[in-house]
Structure formats: structure tokens, C-alpha cells
Amino acid sequence: LLLNGVWQFARSTFFVDRTPVTYSWVGNHFAVANSLGKELWQHAFQQPRTVRTREDSELGPFVRFLDIDGDGSLETLVGHEDGGHGEALFCFSPDGKLLWKLDGSIAYWQPAQTYSPAFRVRQVVTAMTEPEGTPILASGFEHVSGAVSRVIFVRPNGVKVGEYWQRNSLDDLVAGDLDGDRTSKIFVAGSNDAGRPTIAVIDPNQIPRLVPGQSPEGAVRFERHSSGGEAAIITLPKSGFAKNVGFQPRILHLVIGSGGLRVVVSEGTMTPENEVCQPVAHLIYQFDRQLKLMNLTPSRDFRSLFQSTLQNEPGSIDREVERMRDEVTVDWLGEETSSLAGR
């Protein structure tokens, strides 16, 4: 028993698990702890975290523990305000040293309006540039208005190598080996100006660059990407139900698995007693590893809302699903493209 007690004391004292699992905020102090709740390190930001998002209750603070350089240790990525306008992405080493900072906020201009430089970190994923090659971080930023979003690509050392812009919100951002070639593809979910959900497929071996357009002083407008910026664009249709009630379909989840790409789209909402709308009417698209549509499955709630809102003729839902299947497009691109011009 005595030896066991000595071992447990030595283990807890000298062999601390350095794997980050949880975090906490107190004012401007950010702390990281392991699975036992033991604090590993903390960092004092210049200012406390404040609410700067249209959906703060949904998004919350952005913190991820990722192995960004493939050494087996987890870095900590934190989205936090910097300079009083928008958020930057801070990258900390496993022992809490600030490695680099990526500023994603910039004033954005389009003919009808100039938007303030207030972007928020939405998601960060890692991708491999080639078989057993160098990792790339895809860092997704969304403007607080939801009017535009950008994905900035950086090396593990924080050096920027390119970026991708799209109109409207950034609904999801994932990366994975879809076709089994041991390299990743990056999938950027959003919507086009017609209100149809879209997914941009980015090849990390051909990181998009931006061709700037004219803009007022202090703001930017990127009108198109360099050649090869988008490997493909998947465009999904709006359901008759969404058109009828004026609902904007939104991609909730992208999932890459052994069978291909799974896309979950919200096509309608319900409002419970607390007056918070919840997405319940889902359509599930299943693409194979070559991005060929295999199945389109409506959820039970989608069927119920469809029947209660539209004329419920025999076979009407089946015809609607068939119509939507026919309107799914996958455009493989090789020339200069414009994701800001309204696809």
C-alpha cells in the first residue's frame, strides 16, 4: 500500500497528462485543462470575450484541439477578438506558447453596401496536400451579418497560402479523403444568391487565389478566383415546401465516410413555446465517392410539414423528391470561376 501510494503521488506529480480536453474563460483569461481537470496552461488576452455574432447562442466561443503539424501533439486554436473589430484565430502550442495569429477580418464592399471588418471564426479543419504531404489548415471566417464568408488556407506555421470567398453564410466546413487517393478535399457549405444550398469542393493541391476587383478605399471586393480555385460546385434545389413558406434552406452537416459524402439540409422549422425556431424538416443527400447522387431521403418531419402545408395528393411527396433529385447539379470546374457573382 505504501509503495502504491508513493507511485500514485509520483504519477500525479511528475507524469501529468498534457493532452488538452477542456477549457474555461474568466474575463480575458483563457485556461486549458486535461481530462482530470488539472490546468495545463493559461493565456491572458488583451480584452474579455464579447458577443459579436448574429447567432451567438448557436456558435458559442470557438475553441478546437487539433494536431495541425502531424507530430502527435494537440495544438489549441482559439477564435477571439483582436483590435476591437472582429476575431482572429490564435494558435497555441501544447505548452501554451502563442505560435501565430491569423486575422480574418477585413472591410468588404459590394455595390449596395460596405460591410465593417467584423468576421468571426466559424470552423477550422486540416487537409493533406498530397499523399503523406504537408498539412494545410482551412480556417473559415463568417461576417457577423452572414452576408459573406471566407476560408483562409495556412501552413502549420501560420503562413498564408491562399483563400476562398463566397457570398452568404458559412454553414459547414469539412475535409477528408473522399475518393481514396490519400489526399483530402475541402468542402465549403453555403448558399448562392438564388437561395439554393451549395457546396464548393476545394483541392488543397490547387489552393485558390483571389483576383481583386475595384473597391472604395479601405474595403475589398474579390470578383473571382484564380483558375482551379474550385474543383467542383454542388448545387442543391429548394423544396416546394421551402418555396411556399419563404424558408431559406440551410446545410446543417457535411459528413465524409467510406460511402461518400452525406449532406443534411434543413428545409423548414418549427417554433416551440420559447419562440426559438428549430430546424426539423430535413432532406438527406447521399453522394458516392465520385460525387454522384445515390439517394435523397426526406425525414418524417419533412413529410409531415409538406403534407400540412401543400396540397396532399397521392404520391405528391415522391414526385417532389424525384423533381429535386433531377435538379441536383455537380459542376466540375477548370476555368476561372466567380463564387461572388451569384451562381
Side-chain angles (χ1 to χ4, degrees):
L1 291 177
L2 178 61
L3 289 176
N4 183 63
V6 171
W7 164 247
Q8 292 297 334
F9 173 79
R11 180 182 176 185
S12 62
T13 304
F14 302 108
F15 301 98
V16 177
D17 181 6
R18 306 295 302 180
T19 304
V21 175
T22 62
Y23 65 90
S24 61
W25 287 94
V26 178
N28 65 326
H29 288 270
F30 173 77
V32 170
N34 63 16
S35 60
L36 299 177
K38 182 177 179 58
E39 184 177 296
L40 302 177
W41 55 268
Q42 63 174 266
H43 177 81
F45 287 94
Q46 292 184 353
Q47 59 194 86
R49 175 176 172 78
T50 58
V51 175
R52 280 189 176 272
T53 176
R54 60 187 176 87
E55 296 174 315
D56 189 69
S57 61
E58 174 188 343
L59 300 181
F62 180 88
V63 180
R64 294 291 186 276
F65 304 120
L66 291 176
D67 179 8
I68 67 173
D69 50 15
D71 66 353
S73 299
L74 297 179
E75 284 74 30
T76 301
L77 300 167
V78 182
H80 189 73
E81 283 190 18
D82 184 58
H85 48 81
E87 285 190 347
L89 180 65
F90 294 80
C91 179
F92 295 93
S93 68
D95 59 1
K97 177 184 177 181
L98 179 61
L99 299 176
W100 47 263
K101 178 183 71 173
L102 177 64
D103 187 2
S105 292
I106 189 171
Y108 169 72
W109 174 83
Q110 57 187 29
Q113 185 175 356
T114 298
Y115 293 89
S116 64
F119 283 75
R120 174 166 182 161
V121 180
R122 188 71 167 87
Q123 183 59 283
V124 177
V125 297
T126 58
M128 299 302 293
T129 56
E130 57 187 26
E132 300 178 359
T134 304
I136 286 287
L137 266 72
S139 308
F141 291 81
E142 179 183 285
H143 194 271
V144 293
S145 67
V148 67
S149 52
R150 62 193 301 212
V151 179
I152 304 176
F153 302 93
V154 298
R155 298 291 185 189
N157 61 1
V159 175
K160 177 180 172 181
V161 294
E163 62 181 302
Y164 176 80
W165 284 63
Q166 68 176 13
R167 289 190 189 271
N168 305 316
S169 61
L170 178 63
D171 293 335
D172 203 1
L173 176 66
V174 301
D177 181 4
L178 183 68
D179 52 11
D181 64 355
R182 298 171 62 193
T183 64
S184 303
K185 294 296 186 294
I186 301 168
F187 297 82
V188 185
S191 59
N192 62 15
D193 286 349
R196 295 179 61 174
T198 60
I199 304 166
V201 184
I202 307 295
D203 184 350
N205 293 301
Q206 298 180 359
I207 296 297
R209 299 185 307 276
L210 297 168
V211 180
Q214 295 181 349
S215 61
E217 184 178 356
V220 299
R221 173 180 172 84
F222 291 109
E223 296 187 345
R224 68 185 190 277
H225 295 96
S226 59
S227 179
E230 297 157 323
I233 294 290
I234 304 171
T235 305
L236 306 179
K238 295 179 71 171
S239 68
F241 166 77
K243 294 177 182 178
N244 188 64
V245 300
F247 181 77
Q248 172 62 59
R250 181 177 180 182
I251 295 175
L252 296 179
H253 304 292
L254 300 176
V255 181
I256 300 174
S258 59
L261 176 67
R262 185 170 181 258
V263 184
V264 181
V265 180
S266 170
E267 288 280 341
T269 62
M270 64 178 295
T271 305
E273 295 180 357
N274 61 4
E275 299 300 324
V276 177
C277 291
Q278 301 291 336
V280 295
H282 299 156
L283 288 171
I284 302 172
Y285 297 79
Q286 181 66 50
F287 296 85
D288 68 10
R289 300 178 74 171
Q290 285 72 46
L291 294 182
K292 178 182 177 181
L293 180 64
M294 303 301 293
N295 293 299
L296 172 54
T297 306
S299 69
R300 182 176 60 183
D301 290 320
F302 178 88
R303 290 179 175 274
S304 298
L305 289 176
F306 185 92
Q307 292 172 347
S308 63
T309 305
L310 302 177
Q311 185 176 1
N312 186 23
E313 299 177 354
S316 58
I317 293 181
D318 295 334
R319 289 193 297 271
E320 174 71 357
V321 170
E322 189 62 30
R323 176 193 68 80
M324 296 184 70
R325 285 180 59 97
D326 293 340
E327 293 186 9
V328 174
T329 62
V330 181
D331 297 317
W332 295 95
L333 308 172
E335 303 298 328
E336 290 193 346
T337 59
S338 172
S339 62
L340 292 184
R343 294 186 290 270

